[in-house]
């Protein structure tokens, strides 16, 4: 039997009302503050990019023969 694992990071996009959007709004309103040097990064993936990668993942999973495949999904830039 073949297995596949798709692990994705925080997803954001239009109509998003989750924690990431709340953080962005707090920053825009100057109600967020930086702790320590502020050099930490957060991996994210835009919803359209995730959809494209899901399609590619499905195609490769159907056409491949490995017993186990793990994909970590995130956009290249971590803000």
């Amino acid at each position: 039997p073949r297995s596949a694992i798709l692990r994705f990071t925080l997803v954001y996009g239009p109509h998003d009302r989750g924690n990431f959007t709340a953080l962005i709004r707090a920053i825009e309103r100057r109600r967020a503050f930086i702790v320590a040097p502020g050099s930490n990064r957060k991996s994210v993936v835009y919803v359209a990019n995730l959809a494209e990668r899901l399609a590619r993942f499905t195609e490769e999973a159907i056409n491949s023969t490995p017993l186990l495949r793990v994909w970590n999904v995130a956009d290249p830039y971590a803000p």
Side-chain angles (χ1 to χ4, degrees):
R2 294 185 304 171
S3 297
I5 299 169
L6 181 65
R7 302 184 325 183
F8 50 91
T9 186
L10 186 131
V11 180
Y12 73 97
H15 312 294
D16 183 14
R17 288 177 270 183
N19 293 338
F20 186 69
T21 301
L23 175 61
I24 296 302
R25 287 186 180 141
I27 291 169
E28 288 173 345
R29 294 178 185 150
R30 300 182 188 269
R31 294 182 185 228
F33 55 92
I34 297 173
V35 177
S39 59
N40 57 320
R41 299 284 180 235
K42 175 67 179 161
S43 295
V44 296
V45 63
Y46 185 66
V47 68
N49 296 340
L50 176 59
E52 182 272 327
R53 290 184 185 124
L54 283 170
R56 188 164 23 128
F57 172 81
T58 302
E59 182 178 319
E60 286 196 25
I62 290 169
N63 296 326
S64 68
T65 56
L67 294 177
L68 177 62
R69 180 97 191 239
V70 178
W71 280 34
N72 293 309
V73 180
D75 285 341
Y77 175 73

